[in-house]
Amino acid sequence: MAKNTRSASKTATKKSAPAKAAAKKAAPAKAAPKKAAAASNSRSANRGGAASFDEASLLRELFIEELRDIYWAEKHLTKALPKLRKAATNPELANAFETHLAQTEEQIGRVEEVFEMMGEAARAKKCEAMEGLVQEAQQGIEDTPKGSNVRDAALIICAQKVEHYEIAAYGSLVQLAKTLGENEVATLLAETLEEEKQTDELLTELAVSGINISASQESED
Ligand SMILES: [Fe+2]
Ligand SMILES: [Fe+2]
């Protein structure tokens, strides 16, 4: 019953104020159970989706919104990665950031290509998550001594959080593109997804192969 009432007010949101008031007024009346049942049935049909929503175009809009989000995130990263490279102690880690900066610039190009393929202007929408992740990385730099392995360990943790966010974002975009029948778009974005996964693995290797161990020895000194 509560569900039906909620559904009724939802349907009424697009109606005029008097219609809304009428719907509200009608809700508590228990006098016409037959009418209520009929209305409930028609609402159930609407909840089925096909009649009320153009699911395909809503999904397409969602895809474009997500694309705008990752577009902003990648652009933001091109400003952050040089700072991470500069802050890194281990030259291999600094190299990894350098390499990923070049990849990120290519990835931005791919996103722009996808906008074009979808017939949309390339527009970025602020990604609060990426802004936060980059702030954490900056905090990691401030909290650790320059030239220490502990700083590298902190940088790797922050960079992996970034990669995991990107893996989730591109993984979802690839799936959405496939659902939308945009197979070329899916293939293009899958290239980026693969690069993000490889970067994540490289960061794990760097941590496991020495940086974390050196950092632990550092703390014993
Ligand atoms: Fe990226
Ligand atoms: Fe990345």
Side-chain angles (χ1 to χ4, degrees):
M1 192 63 196
K3 233 179 187 177
N4 286 344
T5 315
R6 251 207 314 274
S7 170
S9 67
K10 212 174 180 183
T11 359
T13 47
K14 280 184 183 167
K15 287 178 183 168
S16 64
K20 225 174 178 179
K24 219 174 182 182
K25 231 177 178 181
K30 291 177 184 170
K34 269 185 189 170
K35 262 187 184 174
S40 158
N41 284 342
S42 84
R43 279 194 295 270
S44 302
N46 282 347
R47 269 206 303 275
S52 317
F53 308 112
D54 181 352
E55 295 281 3
S57 71
L58 284 177
L59 202 63
R60 193 180 179 284
E61 265 174 51
L62 176 65
F63 177 88
I64 299 296
E65 280 301 299
E66 293 297 323
L67 200 63
R68 287 175 181 149
D69 178 281
I70 199 69
Y71 189 40
W72 191 95
E74 295 284 25
K75 283 181 151 189
H76 193 58
L77 272 174
T78 59
K79 291 177 222 155
L81 280 164
K83 292 178 193 164
L84 301 192
R85 182 199 56 207
K86 230 175 143 187
T89 304
N90 184 307
E92 279 183 68
L93 181 60
N95 266 346
F97 288 137
E98 179 73 43
T99 305
H100 201 49
L101 173 61
Q103 275 178 331
T104 301
E105 275 155 3
E106 269 183 51
Q107 292 170 356
I108 289 172
R110 276 188 209 123
V111 172
E112 285 168 350
E113 221 177 300
V114 170
F115 274 120
E116 210 181 317
M117 287 161 95
M118 303 292 290
E120 296 279 338
R123 189 152 59 81
K125 188 186 81 180
K126 188 177 177 186
C127 170
E128 306 283 349
M130 190 55 75
E131 186 180 52
L133 289 168
V134 167
Q135 271 169 7
E136 277 192 18
Q138 272 159 356
Q139 192 62 51
I141 295 168
E142 283 167 34
D143 290 348
T144 51
K146 195 179 175 195
S148 67
N149 289 303
V150 173
R151 171 176 284 186
D152 281 358
L155 288 174
I156 289 176
I157 291 169
C158 294
Q160 285 196 292
K161 286 179 183 173
V162 167
E163 293 316 309
H164 283 229
Y165 179 83
E166 290 184 303
I167 289 166
Y170 282 109
S172 306
L173 281 168
V174 168
Q175 282 310 315
L176 276 179
K178 283 182 187 167
T179 306
L180 291 168
E182 298 284 351
N183 293 329
E184 275 180 59
V185 167
T187 306
L188 201 58
L189 293 173
E191 279 179 47
T192 299
L193 176 61
E194 197 45 45
E195 286 172 1
E196 310 294 19
K197 285 181 181 172
Q198 281 169 5
T199 303
D200 180 48
E201 278 167 26
L202 175 64
L203 289 166
T204 299
E205 273 170 35
L206 285 172
V208 171
S209 72
I211 287 170
N212 282 354
I213 297 160
S214 306
S216 80
Q217 282 164 354
E218 217 163 53
S219 63
E220 282 164 13
D221 289 344

